[in-house]
Amino acid sequence: MRQRKRSQELHARASRVIPGGVDSPVRAFKSVGGEPPYIVRGKGSRIWDADGNEYIDYVGSWGPLILGHAFPSVVEAVEKANRDGASFGACTPAEAELAEAVIEAFPSMDKVRFVSSGTEATMSAIRLARAFTGRKYIIKFEGCYHGHADSLLVKAGSGVATLGIPGSAGVLDEQAKFTLALPFNNQQAIKEAFHKFKNEIACVIVEPVVGNMGCVPPGKGYLEFLRSITEQHGTVLIFDEVMTGFRLSFGGAQQLFKIKPDLTTLGKIIGGGLPVGAYGGRAELMDMIAPLGPVYQAGTLSGNPLAMAAGIATLQELKARPEIYRQLEQRSEALVDGVLNAAKNKGVALTANRVGSMFTWFFQRGTVHDWDTAAKSDTQAFGKFHGAIMEHGIYLPPSQYEAIFMSAAHSETDIQQTIAAATEAF
Ligand SMILES: *Cc1c(COP(=O)(O)O)cnc(C)c1O
């Protein structure tokens, strides 16, 4: 058994002063058993815990670290920005620089506004959609997570699902009653909602490839359908690309599937590991935001120089080396198939969904295309596997309902080592 004494002490200390010892519930090991390792260092594909254990990391800070940990040009950019002053609450040149880079990659955006988290991005995008349309209702999908704003904590996927709670205490029925949560990949359900709430639906918000009930891709024609029915009803289509933006391709899921949403939310990768979110779209919508228009949204640390520097350095690297995406595709495919094969040889019921470098192994034999089918997974078997593979030095997200991420730093050797570890762990 790997020694975890130091992590346990740190967790006991944290638990006395922080609820559950964690600042985000997904970090707790509640659904897989055991206690979380305390991470003290990361480099490339590897992380080290307080007891000196080394792991190949497939969490990547839950998505941002597409270049791996402590990528040199990102570290350098942040250090330089920090020396010049961490924050001013005033205009800085880096904001327009990152905005231009984002807009160039996402042609559906004329303008973009930076915030400090994905939660703020989606919350603000919905406020804007409601202001633009003058309508109340929003449609989201079961198992999709769009941050923890009150009206979005309805059937909200991984973090919530892992804890087995339907929504959240403290959210008023009055705040949730304008949120229609529909099954993902089901066109009929949307047609019925638009029929019932004609001219009352402000927006449809969707993860174009879902990551937050585990990885679930859209069925053939599904995103096209969402685009056309929203257009037909004057409803704003929001692609929440906080996870998929700059991951599935440089231009996100919308480039991959060739669909133009009205608004896009981003986060994770565009902050290069620092706290960032963003929302953007056509000028006609974005110019409704204060100070130009009546939709208020603000932030003391929005567009923070360190976060902008990390984002700019990350996007520069991705842009300079487009072959990264081909490598991610090939290596992710090799890893996912290798582990599936190992499961098959051991008679373990396992199925996988993958789009690019985002994937999930579901412990079941069925196909997973929405929340109900994802929920058929054997979470106990996942928990056992998670603990066993961690003993072999592989760090996976501690929930069946999370996407696993490959980074550009993961080598062929890492992948072979991971497949070997999985074979032992089954
Ligand atoms: C992570 C995530 C969010 C929330 O972002 P935070 O920065 O954690 O607030 C929103 N939407 C999606 C799709 C995400 O994956």
Side-chain angles (χ1 to χ4, degrees):
M1 282 288 279
R2 291 185 159 215
Q3 179 66 251
R4 297 250 169 68
K5 194 164 167 293
R6 193 69 197 114
S7 281
Q8 281 160 1
E9 287 164 6
L10 288 165
H11 196 51
R13 176 183 175 185
S15 298
R16 283 193 287 275
V17 286
I18 298 170
V22 295
D23 283 315
S24 187
V26 295
R27 294 175 201 169
F29 272 38
K30 208 168 162 175
S31 77
V32 291
E35 289 184 359
Y38 273 59
I39 308 303
V40 294
R41 194 165 76 82
K43 182 70 198 163
S45 64
R46 309 278 166 146
I47 52 174
W48 288 267
D49 70 17
D51 292 281
N53 299 304
E54 181 175 327
Y55 307 89
I56 303 176
D57 175 35
Y58 289 98
V59 176
S61 187
W62 302 88
L65 301 183
I66 193 165
L67 299 174
H69 294 273
F71 190 78
S73 67
V74 177
V75 172
E76 212 171 289
V78 173
E79 283 178 356
K80 181 179 182 310
N82 196 25
R83 275 195 300 273
D84 290 339
S87 182
F88 308 101
C91 301
T92 57
E95 293 159 73
E97 194 181 341
L98 184 56
E100 283 167 5
V102 166
I103 286 167
E104 195 192 326
F106 285 76
S108 67
M109 295 186 195
D110 297 326
K111 294 187 179 179
V112 63
R113 167 65 65 83
F114 291 113
V115 291
S116 295
S117 66
T119 293
E120 285 175 80
T122 54
M123 181 182 86
S124 310
I126 284 168
R127 183 182 302 148
L128 175 56
R130 281 177 163 151
F132 182 73
T133 57
R135 301 175 183 176
K136 283 185 181 156
Y137 284 90
I138 64 175
I139 289 178
K140 78 174 286 290
F141 298 99
E142 295 169 1
C144 282
Y145 177 67
H146 305 293
H148 63 90
D150 286 319
S151 67
L152 287 166
L153 274 185
V154 181
K155 302 199 172 167
S158 56
V160 188
T162 302
L163 298 174
I165 47 181
S168 171
V171 174
L172 305 178
D173 292 343
E174 286 84 348
Q175 289 169 306
K177 81 174 175 191
F178 297 113
T179 304
L180 310 170
L182 305 182
F184 186 67
N185 269 332
N186 180 329
Q187 302 194 6
Q188 192 54 33
I190 297 175
K191 284 182 194 154
E192 282 165 18
F194 272 101
H195 184 72
K196 185 160 175 213
F197 297 97
K198 222 176 174 51
N199 301 327
E200 289 182 276
I201 300 173
C203 65
V204 171
I205 183 166
V206 65
E207 292 180 68
V209 172
V210 189
N212 284 295
M213 52 176 146
C215 178
V216 178
K220 200 166 179 337
Y222 183 66
L223 296 176
E224 288 80 355
F225 167 77
L226 290 183
R227 180 62 284 183
S228 81
I229 197 164
T230 46
E231 213 154 59
Q232 217 175 300
H233 288 84
T235 294
V236 174
L237 178 62
I238 306 173
F239 271 12
D240 181 356
E241 298 227 43
V242 170
M243 189 184 286
T244 53
F246 294 96
R247 175 160 292 277
L248 301 187
S249 76
F250 195 66
Q254 51 196 269
Q255 179 185 321
L256 195 65
F257 293 96
K258 302 187 175 64
I259 310 262
K260 261 193 178 182
D262 301 301
L263 289 174
T264 301
T265 55
L266 293 168
K268 297 191 172 123
I269 289 177
I270 61 160
L274 275 81
V276 177
Y279 63 110
R282 292 194 309 279
E284 156 197 31
L285 279 137
M286 296 304 289
D287 286 348
M288 288 189 73
I289 302 167
L292 291 183
V295 180
Y296 195 72
Q297 179 270 307
T300 302
L301 294 177
S302 293
N304 171 265
L306 302 193
M308 297 294 104
I312 290 165
T314 300
L315 299 200
Q316 272 173 351
E317 181 68 16
L318 291 173
K319 195 178 170 195
R321 288 174 48 210
E323 68 276 10
I324 282 178
Y325 291 99
R326 228 170 313 128
Q327 179 192 304
L328 284 171
E329 169 72 27
Q330 285 161 359
R331 294 194 179 164
S332 302
E333 183 181 32
L335 175 61
V336 169
D337 291 353
V339 170
L340 279 178
N341 258 332
K344 200 168 153 207
N345 291 338
K346 295 254 179 146
V348 175
L350 198 73
T351 187
N353 282 342
R354 181 183 71 84
V355 180
S357 57
M358 210 175 126
F359 47 89
T360 300
W361 292 291
F362 293 98
F363 279 73
Q364 59 163 302
R365 289 199 198 279
T367 56
V368 175
H369 50 86
D370 61 7
W371 172 246
D372 285 347
T373 46
K376 288 186 178 147
S377 304
D378 183 346
T379 52
Q380 281 201 326
F382 173 82
K384 245 184 82 198
F385 174 73
H386 183 274
I389 200 166
M390 206 164 129
E391 277 297 309
H392 292 282
I394 309 296
Y395 188 70
L396 298 180
S399 163
Q400 170 71 95
Y401 304 118
E402 297 287 358
I404 299 171
F405 301 109
M406 169 99 51
S407 83
H410 285 77
S411 66
E412 307 264 6
T413 316
D414 287 337
I415 289 160
Q416 291 318 314
Q417 205 172 320
T418 307
I419 294 169
T423 309
E424 294 286 322
F426 283 131

